[in-house]
Amino acid sequence: MNRCNRLATVVAVCLGLLLTLAGPAAAALDAAALAKLASEDANERMEAIDAIAAGGDEAAMRVLTALQDGLLRVTPKGQVFIKQRGSLLDALTGAAVETEPEDLAKISINNRMRSQVEGVMAGLRIFSTDPKQRLEAARAIEPEEKMLATLDKALARESVAEIRDVLEVARAASQLRSGDTGARLAAITRLAGSRDPKIKTLLLALLETDAQSRPLEPDARVREAAADAVRAIDRRLMVYDFAQRLFAGVSLGSILMLAALGLAITYGLLGVINMAHGEMLMIGAYAAYATQSLFRARFPGALDWYLVCAVPVAFLSAAAVGVVLERTVIRWLYGRPLETLLATWGISLVLIQSVRQLFGAQNVEVANPAWMSGGIELAALALPWNRIVIIGFALAVLLLMWLMLTRTRFGLFVRGVTQNRAMAACVGVPTARVDMLAFGLGSGIAGLAGCALSQIGNVGPDLGQSYIIDSFMVVVLGGVGQLAGTVYAALGLGVASKFLEPYIGAVPTKILILVLIIAFIQKRPQGLFALRGRSVEA
């Protein structure tokens, strides 16, 4: 019996200790702060919201969500409950209440309080169980000194390195408003390694002066540290800005390369000034739009893969139109460049009007597949997936073109006809068939360029008009009929445009580049790479 009594005593003591330890956790919220939510004083109610949010746990989120949704109720004695459909919860403990108290009154909030609740709830999401949601919440935190307690609690719980880094930066940014000089200096030291332009703005606030040019920051050490940190961030941002412009230039250059690649073949082989080449881009873009529409209507479950089917459709559509044009119009105009210019210009107008009749005059939207949405974020550097995929696609097309021109019988014929048409015909090369297939190939590649263009902008009947002049500039600068010249010229023009546009504007940039190309051609008429062959050397 004594053993049983002693065992019961030990169990009772253990239960008492467990209840004692569990008591504060169950009632993490401040009952006084909850009661103040029903106060008639707006300032007290706003202070209560901050006090509840300072708890930084799921209970605080539960109460603030109920306040935002109008579900909080209060008794005359100051007890707060959450009244949901079919249930009543004690706001302090979260426990279900079986009997509803009498005289429950609704706690309402005004717009000012609603904005405050939204702000503090954004901070409380850093305690979510979802790491992605915690990261988004940490990035959205507005630096304020009152957030320090919440951030400290979040840092104590956080185990993901990326989220901890964001939280530490947010904590340091909040400390900039601290009254402690040492805390401000420590915060500046932590923020000096940041790459965020918003941090630079916060540090610049420490260097501001009043109307009499007196510094608002009283401590000279803080001002000096802030100035050093701003210079460090500027140097870091300059590197990222250079990388961002370089990526944008390569992206634009890859598009110009795709647009000019087909023109380099037809112009170099046939000597045709094809003003309808831009409309081949348009046909490829509309082929992508038609493929997307077909997948939406017939195969909605596979919509993300419509672009894979759109690539061969765009190539074949543009190539077929090119072959028809070469057989019906252009074959009769070889050797007469001015006539081909006028004829292809008229053909371009016919194609534009035909597309307007079929699809309408308004732009149409070709959506990115899910796997091309979003991008890679490296601090201040943003690399969209659609641009990355287009660069890779352009390189793949370039590789296939090089293999075809250097490793196939058709490529041998094309190179032979380009260098010496008469000699190629004498040795049995079917020059007429080579002309037809080469024109179709050039048009098909333009269709691929249009398919790629559909992923970075709207598709309209005038799409090709924006790229025809740039395509001719690339071909002339790189050297007629030269694959390597087209690549170097396209990438060079793309990078130069993106580096010049921020300083002088888009239109002056195009004018300046055109003037520079004209000056270059005056000194080197054959372009970057001269065409080699017996007929040329003779």
Side-chain angles (χ1 to χ4, degrees):
M1 179 65 68
N2 292 334
R3 290 181 179 178
C4 293
N5 291 336
R6 285 197 296 269
L7 181 61
T9 302
V10 171
V11 172
V13 170
C14 292
L15 288 174
L17 289 173
L18 290 174
L19 290 174
T20 302
L21 293 173
L29 292 174
D30 185 358
L34 278 175
K36 285 183 180 180
L37 288 177
S39 173
E40 295 181 359
D41 188 347
N43 292 329
E44 284 190 1
R45 299 174 71 186
M46 297 184 72
E47 291 175 0
I49 292 174
D50 287 336
I52 293 171
D57 53 17
E58 295 181 1
M61 178 66 80
R62 180 182 67 241
V63 171
L64 293 176
T65 301
L67 177 63
Q68 190 179 38
D69 296 339
L71 302 177
L72 282 188
R73 302 292 186 270
V74 62
T75 66
K77 295 182 179 180
Q79 291 179 302
V80 182
F81 298 90
I82 300 174
K83 188 173 183 179
Q84 297 174 334
R85 181 177 299 178
S87 65
L88 188 69
L89 303 178
D90 188 326
L92 185 63
T93 63
V97 178
E98 296 182 358
T99 304
E100 181 176 332
E102 297 181 357
D103 300 329
L104 279 180
K106 180 180 179 181
I107 299 178
S108 58
I109 58 175
N110 53 32
N111 291 334
R112 184 182 174 191
M113 293 176 61
R114 189 176 298 277
S115 299
Q116 182 189 11
V117 170
E118 291 175 355
V120 297
M121 285 182 64
L124 287 176
R125 291 191 182 95
I126 58 178
F127 300 102
S128 171
T129 56
D130 183 6
K132 184 177 180 181
Q133 190 175 13
R134 292 202 308 274
L135 180 60
E136 293 177 355
R139 289 173 174 171
I141 290 176
E142 292 295 331
E144 294 179 340
E145 191 174 3
K146 64 183 181 182
M147 290 294 298
L148 287 174
T150 303
L151 290 170
D152 287 337
K153 187 173 292 187
L155 281 168
R157 299 182 182 183
E158 189 56 63
S159 59
V160 181
E162 182 182 5
I163 303 177
R164 283 190 62 85
D165 184 65
V166 177
L167 289 173
E168 288 175 358
V169 171
R171 186 182 186 281
S174 300
Q175 281 185 316
L176 289 178
R177 293 176 170 83
S178 173
D180 184 3
T181 301
R184 295 204 302 278
L185 287 172
I188 292 172
T189 302
R190 175 64 179 83
L191 296 176
S194 175
R195 299 177 292 266
D196 190 350
K198 295 180 181 178
I199 299 300
K200 175 186 172 182
T201 303
L202 293 175
L203 292 172
L204 286 174
L206 298 176
L207 303 177
E208 292 180 351
T209 57
D210 58 14
Q212 286 75 34
S213 299
R214 292 176 299 187
L216 297 178
E217 169 56 49
D219 195 292
R221 294 176 301 166
V222 174
R223 296 197 300 270
E224 183 179 356
D228 292 340
V230 168
R231 285 191 290 269
I233 292 175
D234 279 336
R235 289 192 296 269
R236 203 170 292 109
L237 290 178
M238 188 179 299
V239 174
Y240 278 93
D241 181 62
F242 177 85
Q244 187 74 57
R245 293 186 188 182
L246 182 62
F247 174 78
V250 172
S251 175
L252 176 61
S254 65
I255 294 172
L256 291 178
M257 183 185 70
L258 280 175
L261 205 56
L263 188 62
I265 296 174
T266 56
Y267 188 35
L269 176 66
L270 309 176
V272 174
I273 304 176
N274 184 14
M275 296 301 294
H277 185 76
E279 279 54 59
M280 302 302 165
L281 275 76
M282 175 194 66
I283 291 173
Y286 272 100
Y289 170 72
T291 305
Q292 173 190 255
S293 301
L294 177 63
F295 268 70
R296 280 179 175 170
R298 301 290 185 180
F299 315 105
L303 184 60
D304 281 342
W305 300 104
Y306 84 89
L307 191 59
V308 177
C309 295
V311 170
V313 171
F315 177 84
L316 294 175
S317 300
V321 173
V323 169
V324 171
L325 292 181
E326 196 278 337
R327 288 288 87 187
T328 56
V329 178
I330 295 173
R331 64 177 297 193
W332 312 107
L333 302 175
Y334 289 139
R336 301 186 310 194
L338 291 180
E339 283 83 347
T340 58
L341 186 151
L342 292 174
T344 53
W345 178 65
I347 290 171
S348 71
L349 297 179
V350 172
L351 291 175
I352 291 173
Q353 191 59 37
S354 299
V355 168
R356 284 176 177 163
Q357 293 295 326
L358 287 174
F359 298 97
Q362 301 297 323
N363 290 344
V364 296
E365 182 183 359
V366 181
N368 290 140
W371 49 273
M372 282 181 65
S373 301
I376 302 175
E377 293 186 6
L378 302 174
L381 183 63
L383 307 178
W385 278 117
N386 56 354
R387 297 276 183 175
I388 295 174
V389 171
I390 288 175
I391 292 174
F393 178 68
L395 292 176
V397 173
L398 178 64
L399 177 62
L400 291 176
M401 280 293 303
W402 178 79
L403 290 175
M404 185 178 62
L405 292 177
T406 59
R407 297 292 188 270
T408 64
R409 184 179 179 85
F410 173 70
L412 178 64
F413 286 171
V414 169
R415 287 183 286 125
V417 173
T418 302
Q419 294 177 7
N420 195 320
R421 176 179 291 272
M423 183 61 69
C426 289
V427 297
V429 175
T431 56
R433 181 181 300 173
V434 170
D435 291 342
M436 178 188 69
L437 295 177
F439 198 91
L441 175 63
S443 300
I445 295 174
L448 294 179
C451 184
L453 283 171
S454 69
Q455 300 302 303
I456 59 174
N458 290 329
V459 176
D462 300 322
L463 172 67
Q465 300 296 310
S466 304
Y467 290 92
I468 183 64
I469 301 301
D470 291 337
S471 299
F472 271 106
M473 286 197 300
V474 169
V475 172
V476 173
L477 178 61
V480 176
Q482 292 298 305
L483 197 62
T486 301
V487 175
Y488 285 113
L491 293 178
L493 291 179
V495 172
S497 296
K498 291 303 178 182
F499 274 90
L500 290 174
E501 282 179 3
Y503 299 103
I504 63 176
V507 175
T509 295
K510 286 187 176 292
I511 296 174
L512 178 60
I513 289 177
L514 180 59
V515 171
L516 293 176
I517 290 176
I518 293 174
F520 178 81
I521 296 301
Q522 292 293 322
K523 296 294 183 181
R524 189 178 174 85
Q526 67 270 32
L528 292 174
F529 294 84
L531 186 64
R532 296 186 178 274
R534 292 187 179 182
S535 61
V536 175
E537 294 168 356

